[in-house]
Amino acid sequence: ETGVTQTPRHLVMGMTNKKSLKCEQHLGHNAMYWYKQSAKKPLELMFVYSLEERVENNSVPSRFSPECPNSSHLFLHLHTLQPEDSALYLCASSQDSPLGPRETQYFGPGTRLLVL
Amino acid sequence: DQQVKQNSPSLSVQEGRISILNCDYTNSMFDYFLWYKKYPAEGPTFLISISSIKDKNEDGRFTVFLNKSAKHLSLHIVPSQPGDSAVYFCAASAYSLSGGYNKLIFGAGTRLAVHP
């Protein structure tokens, strides 16, 4: 069983399109994350949801809009993107507790996005 | 300003020899460090971690060393195998009290090639 799945795996869109990326975790975790990975750059944290509440919005432009309807699903809605937004978008999940042992984040395979 | 740096973008090692991947960090608040491995077309997968209260953690062929005074950690793989060829990301973690989650800051990665 794959712990974290992402769809679609590849996406090509024009700058005027609206699309959504989907992430689903089957691990029973309580936190979910969106990261962006551009070529030869570190993974950049975009959004964090903890117990379905957004707890971090890392100065991400409003053309990226996250949604977390429940603890297993996370969406990233895209609209009027720019070519520089082309990147690999990774979803991750973890089971976090301030008092418990530190848990690692588990990543999905990513969505390779190309904006034309 | 990058808080986690992997200064070697690539490393080539012969099969059977030791691979040493290095990582430096600047923020003394980081208290947990992780290494992730990433194959093409897959998301990063957790490899090994170390808490700041330790200076060494070993798991099979993989050992992570932490030098807190130098703010430096390294991953040793011995013996290296062709299947170890991948991009290795160093990550540092600190618990976000305001957000209630473990924030990971990633390095840019080092591409390891193990050749026969």
Side-chain angles (χ1 to χ4, degrees):
Chain A
E1 181 188 350
T2 305
V4 181
T5 58
Q6 289 186 245
T7 54
R9 295 294 307 276
H10 301 273
L11 179 62
V12 180
M13 59 187 289
M15 289 189 285
T16 58
N17 292 158
K18 288 185 180 181
K19 297 287 184 183
S20 295
L21 309 185
K22 179 183 176 182
C23 175
E24 185 173 358
Q25 60 98 358
H26 310 271
L27 302 168
H29 289 163
N30 62 4
M32 296 187 76
Y33 312 78
W34 278 117
Y35 287 88
K36 174 184 177 182
Q37 187 188 13
S38 304
K40 298 183 181 179
K41 285 188 175 181
L43 276 73
E44 301 172 52
L45 180 65
M46 299 176 72
F47 301 103
V48 181
Y49 277 81
S50 179
L51 299 172
E52 301 160 41
E53 182 180 336
R54 191 191 312 180
V55 297
E56 177 100 24
N57 178 348
N58 219 21
S59 303
V60 180
S62 59
R63 56 185 184 268
F64 295 91
S65 175
E67 179 189 0
C68 186
N70 55 61
S71 60
S72 300
H73 294 86
L74 185 65
F75 295 89
L76 187 63
H77 304 299
L78 316 171
H79 63 97
T80 59
L81 293 192
Q82 305 297 312
E84 59 264 29
D85 296 322
S86 299
L88 179 68
Y89 289 84
L90 290 159
C91 172
S93 71
S94 68
Q95 182 64 27
D96 273 355
S97 166
L99 300 176
R102 190 66 62 90
E103 293 288 337
T104 187
Q105 291 181 19
Y106 293 84
F107 285 82
T111 295
R112 176 73 60 185
L113 174 67
L114 176 63
V115 181
L116 300 176
Chain B
D1 183 34
Q2 276 187 260
Q3 298 186 63
V4 178
K5 294 182 182 179
Q6 293 178 256
N7 291 319
S8 298
S10 63
L11 176 67
S12 182
V13 172
Q14 190 171 20
E15 181 179 6
R17 308 293 284 266
I18 185 170
S19 295
I20 301 176
L21 296 99
N22 294 302
C23 179
D24 297 293
Y25 62 96
T26 57
N27 191 339
S28 59
M29 295 300 293
F30 291 138
D31 62 351
Y32 194 68
F33 303 88
L34 308 90
W35 285 94
Y36 281 82
K37 179 168 71 173
K38 186 180 184 300
Y39 293 118
E42 295 182 14
T45 55
F46 170 71
L47 189 58
I48 192 169
S49 62
I50 187 167
S51 166
S52 60
I53 62 173
K54 295 185 175 182
D55 55 19
K56 177 183 174 181
N57 188 27
E58 191 173 351
D59 183 3
R61 297 185 296 113
F62 302 90
T63 303
V64 56
F65 295 92
L66 176 62
N67 182 334
K68 280 184 293 183
S69 60
K71 293 191 175 67
H72 177 84
L73 65 155
S74 60
L75 174 68
H76 292 211
I77 306 173
V78 56
S80 301
Q81 300 173 353
D84 297 327
S85 298
V87 177
Y88 289 79
F89 291 98
C90 168
S93 172
Y95 191 79
S96 170
L97 283 173
S98 58
Y101 72 99
N102 290 308
K103 185 168 187 173
L104 284 184
I105 306 295
F106 284 85
T110 296
R111 183 177 300 278
L112 173 66
V114 180
H115 52 90

